[in-house]
Amino acid sequence: MTTIPTVEELEAQERRLVFSQFTYDDAWALGSLLVELARERRAPVAIDIHRAGQQLFHAALPGSTPDNDAWIARKRRVVERYGSASYLVGARHRAKGTTFEASSRLDPDTYAAHGGSFPLTVKGAGVIGAITVSGLPQLEDHNLVIEALEHFLS
């Protein structure tokens, strides 16, 4: 059973998973790694990498649906607005005894603080984009992204 990470653990992931640079080739390699990990698990996910408003990578694996692309867009907008992982934004609200939907006052059809979108942070530049997975329960989406980033950056 997967334990639910604390806000502090999620913040530590963001501090640790930082790139020295992020190129088009990095997007392809990281996205391809995520596809490989998802295929090993037969995970019915869609995968997306955006940088500065441009989609650099997208893949839809068997079992994913157009709805996953809508979830990707909603989770990515949370990263773009808050500069933090979508799961972390939701966890911060839960830690305060509320929900993102209740306290953010943002349209839930546009923003979703559910796990699966993680900021692409470049040292010296800050958050430059997001990597997003949709199709699994939110913590599993988040953990799949973290696993790929840890492998890619090691």
Side-chain angles (χ1 to χ4, degrees):
M1 179 167 166
T2 306
T3 57
I4 297 173
T6 65
V7 168
E8 294 75 22
E9 289 167 332
L10 294 166
E11 289 171 344
Q13 289 174 341
E14 288 190 357
R15 286 190 301 272
R16 189 176 76 250
L17 299 171
V18 175
F19 293 82
S20 58
Q21 64 175 4
F22 193 79
T23 66
Y24 290 93
D25 288 338
D26 291 330
W28 178 261
L30 179 55
S32 298
L33 172 61
L34 254 173
V35 167
E36 183 181 319
L37 292 172
R39 282 190 190 281
E40 287 172 3
R41 294 162 174 78
R42 292 178 171 42
V45 298
I47 298 162
D48 178 88
I49 299 176
H50 262 71
R51 183 185 70 185
Q54 182 182 20
Q55 185 178 52
L56 301 185
F57 185 92
H58 185 273
L61 299 183
S64 65
T65 69
D67 196 45
N68 295 122
D69 291 327
W71 275 97
I72 282 171
R74 293 167 59 214
K75 293 190 278 189
R76 187 184 69 245
R77 285 187 199 106
V78 168
V79 172
E80 292 168 348
R81 184 175 185 111
Y82 292 90
S84 290
S86 55
Y87 192 78
L88 172 56
V89 173
R92 285 177 174 151
H93 284 85
R94 288 186 296 275
K96 294 176 186 171
T98 185
T99 65
F100 175 79
E101 295 77 14
S103 59
S104 72
R105 301 177 56 117
L106 295 171
D107 182 354
D109 290 335
T110 305
Y111 296 90
H114 292 259
S117 192
F118 197 86
L120 293 172
T121 304
V122 174
K123 187 175 182 171
V127 176
I128 55 104
I131 178 170
T132 311
V133 168
S134 175
L136 302 170
Q138 66 170 326
L139 182 54
E140 291 178 42
D141 278 346
H142 176 82
N143 286 340
L144 186 57
V145 170
I146 297 304
E147 181 182 347
L149 287 169
E150 286 174 340
H151 181 77
F152 188 82
L153 289 167
S154 65

